[in-house]
Amino acid sequence: MSDLENLGTVCSSCPACKLAATRKNVVFGEGNSDAQLMIIGEGPGEEEDRTGRPFVGRAGQLLDQILAAVQIPRESIYIANIVKCRPPGNRNPETDEVASCEHWLLEQIQLIRPQIIVTLGNVPTQWATGTSLGITKTRGVWGEFKKLSSPIKIFPMFHPAYLLRNPVRTTGGPKWLTWQDIKTLKAELELLGTKPDIKLEVEQTTLF
Ligand code: SF4
């Protein structure tokens, strides 16, 4: 068993915060343990809690479409959340819950050593960058993750759950901005050495 799998096994019985009392499953994270790209969301929702897998509900399906639009295979990346257990009613994780849970995520990042971290939405972006700015200000702006010994590039994007509530594709709308962001991300991944397998001049947002 790999160190990452071992960590997931230990995490699956974590009792460290009040979310343990209401969860069905710990949602540790999944994907390529050697990923260049790691995506960090806020917390598990109902479907994730039921299945124990991250980003498998409606927001997860939209995330898959966004990645597929620039040919980033989901199996090539690693996906986790800032808290591993579902906050009741899908509320945002609270400060004490994030503080109790962050060591799992830090250990995951340390083991995976991604070159880029994408944070989805306010909570993981503020945690990862230390900013108090909202996601409308921080999305699409490169930053640095400095919580470990070597800095890692951070690229904040809208959470797909936000896009489900605000599916505006016209210029300047949330889906249009996400289309710009995912192309920027793909271009950076290509610079870092992933396969140049997409023509980024394709200009349409109807892919998701
Ligand atoms: S949210 Fe994190 S710290 Fe809280 S019980 Fe779940 S795994 Fe443990």
Side-chain angles (χ1 to χ4, degrees):
M1 196 183 267
S2 70
D3 289 347
L4 192 60
E5 287 167 335
N6 270 329
L7 189 68
T9 302
V10 179
C11 181
S12 67
S13 55
C14 174
C17 82
K18 57 187 179 294
L19 297 179
T22 50
R23 74 181 178 220
K24 289 191 177 77
N25 286 293
V26 168
V27 182
F28 178 65
E30 68 177 27
N32 179 358
S33 60
D34 194 29
Q36 273 188 314
L37 171 62
M38 183 166 178
I39 294 183
I40 300 176
E42 292 184 350
E46 185 176 11
E47 191 61 15
E48 289 77 15
D49 184 45
R50 190 183 68 76
T51 60
R53 297 184 56 213
F55 282 92
V56 290
R58 282 182 65 221
Q61 288 161 19
L62 179 54
L63 178 63
D64 288 348
Q65 285 179 281
I66 293 167
L67 295 170
V70 290
Q71 298 174 24
I72 298 175
R74 178 154 164 157
E75 57 273 18
S76 72
I77 66 175
Y78 193 91
I79 306 184
N81 285 303
I82 195 163
V83 292
K84 310 301 188 195
C85 304
R86 183 190 182 200
N90 292 348
R91 64 162 169 73
N92 283 344
E94 294 173 353
T95 309
D96 60 316
E97 295 159 356
V98 172
S100 297
C101 207
E102 66 175 2
H103 72 97
W104 297 116
L105 183 56
L106 288 170
E107 286 179 66
Q108 281 174 303
I109 297 168
Q110 215 159 11
L111 288 169
I112 295 163
R113 293 178 295 117
Q115 286 165 291
I116 298 175
I117 292 173
V118 165
T119 49
L120 297 175
N122 273 328
V123 176
T125 300
Q126 291 175 352
W127 172 80
T129 64
T131 184
S132 57
L133 293 173
I135 191 68
T136 53
K137 296 265 191 320
T138 53
R139 59 135 284 281
V141 180
W142 289 98
E144 273 196 338
F145 182 77
K146 296 178 182 163
K147 289 177 184 279
L148 295 172
S149 52
S150 308
I152 301 170
K153 288 183 174 195
I154 289 191
F155 193 64
M157 290 176 55
F158 286 133
H159 196 287
Y162 173 77
L163 298 178
L164 288 172
R165 296 192 300 274
N166 301 278
V168 181
R169 284 199 182 94
T170 48
T171 303
K175 278 202 167 181
W176 182 86
L177 290 169
T178 297
W179 177 233
Q180 311 314 308
D181 292 347
I182 198 69
K183 288 187 297 180
T184 300
L185 176 66
K186 176 67 179 187
E188 186 67 21
L189 283 168
E190 289 190 351
L191 279 179
L192 291 174
T194 53
K195 285 189 295 182
D197 52 6
I198 184 173
K199 292 181 170 41
L200 285 174
E201 65 267 22
V202 174
E203 277 298 339
Q204 58 164 316
T205 56
T206 52
L207 294 168
F208 56 84

